Amino acid sequence: MTNIVKLWIRNFSNSRRTLKRLTAQELLKFIGKNGYYYLPVFKDIRKNNKLLKLNFAAFLMFPVHCFYRKMNLFGVVMMILLFLTTEAKILLSHFAEQLGINDDMLMTAYIISTALSLAIDIFVLMFFNYFYFKSCIKRINMIKQHYSNESYDRVLARIEAAGRPGIFYAVAFSLCAAIAIIFVFQLINHMLGIGNLPLNTLIG
């Protein structure tokens, strides 16, 4: 855990140096809606080294908010982790007898799995702003480097288009990602000989 924290701090320091080459206008163009909310948040993260900054929209509207903000990789990874906690319940239910797991042990495993699911949600709540901050810096700089031969106004237009939030995009991406992940897990379950399980096993 200590190494992970050190890595985050080192990456954050690099982000601070990179941010000096960005302008508020570029960030506002990329962020789009609610840009004036995120700018002070990003400033607080950068100046005060605050990695933890709560984002209740990301928590309450997960994973749609991730894709709304074009945080596709972050959203997909968090979705996979959440589905893994459900998959763990399915596997334990199916193989409990073979593994010698009694009802009490199975209930404890369910509680742990549910706690892990909640921990992932809390992670999104606490760290979404930090990862969004990193994503903004990275993508804006990539656009500026790739289109360095174009006029600044044209580059700003590309930055705005790359980060522009979209409800339809977010909902569609969420549904497609969920369907793809469910399909993969269903395929794995089929290969393991696991048939349809009661609904309360999947969501309990």
Side-chain angles (χ1 to χ4, degrees), residues 7-184:
L7 179 61
W8 278 11
I9 293 174
R10 184 166 64 250
N11 289 338
F12 181 74
S13 299
N14 292 336
S15 296
R16 293 185 67 183
R17 290 192 291 271
T18 304
L19 189 61
K20 294 177 182 179
R21 298 196 292 270
L22 301 183
T23 66
Q25 184 182 21
E26 291 166 356
L27 284 169
L28 285 173
K29 286 287 186 181
F30 186 86
I31 296 168
K33 189 176 181 180
N34 294 330
Y36 288 100
Y37 160 77
Y38 280 103
L39 276 187
V41 170
F42 290 170
K43 182 179 179 181
D44 199 24
I45 291 174
R46 177 175 62 90
K47 287 192 173 183
N48 301 319
N49 294 336
K50 284 190 176 180
L51 301 183
L52 305 182
K53 202 73 176 174
L54 304 185
N55 188 317
F56 287 97
F59 175 73
L60 296 173
M61 295 183 288
F62 178 85
V64 175
H65 189 75
C66 295
F67 304 126
Y68 177 74
R69 286 292 169 187
K70 304 295 180 68
M71 294 281 289
N72 297 346
L73 179 60
F74 180 84
V76 169
V77 169
M78 293 299 107
M79 286 180 70
I80 291 173
L81 291 177
L82 282 173
F83 273 101
L84 280 173
T85 62
T86 300
E87 179 69 7
K89 295 178 184 179
I90 295 174
L91 293 176
L92 286 171
S93 295
H94 185 77
F95 295 109
E97 186 176 346
Q98 293 92 317
L99 296 173
I101 299 176
N102 58 38
D103 290 343
D104 290 337
M105 295 171 62
L106 192 60
M107 181 58 65
T108 301
Y110 278 8
I111 293 173
I112 293 173
S113 178
T114 302
L116 288 174
S117 178
L118 180 60
I120 293 169
D121 289 331
I122 293 174
F123 180 88
V124 172
L125 168 69
M126 297 173 67
F127 290 102
F128 178 86
N129 283 334
Y130 170 73
F131 283 100
Y132 185 46
F133 167 73
K134 294 275 291 180
S135 177
C136 290
I137 294 172
K138 180 179 179 180
R139 295 185 66 186
I140 291 173
N141 277 318
M142 286 177 61
I143 293 170
K144 290 171 68 174
Q145 292 171 10
H146 193 268
Y147 299 102
S148 58
N149 60 330
E150 295 187 359
S151 68
Y152 187 61
D153 287 340
R154 181 59 179 163
V155 171
L156 283 178
R158 291 187 180 278
I159 290 172
E160 183 178 15
R164 182 185 296 121
I167 292 292
F168 177 78
Y169 172 88
V171 173
F173 202 110
S174 298
L175 290 174
C176 291
I179 291 171
I181 294 171
I182 290 172
F183 175 78
V184 170

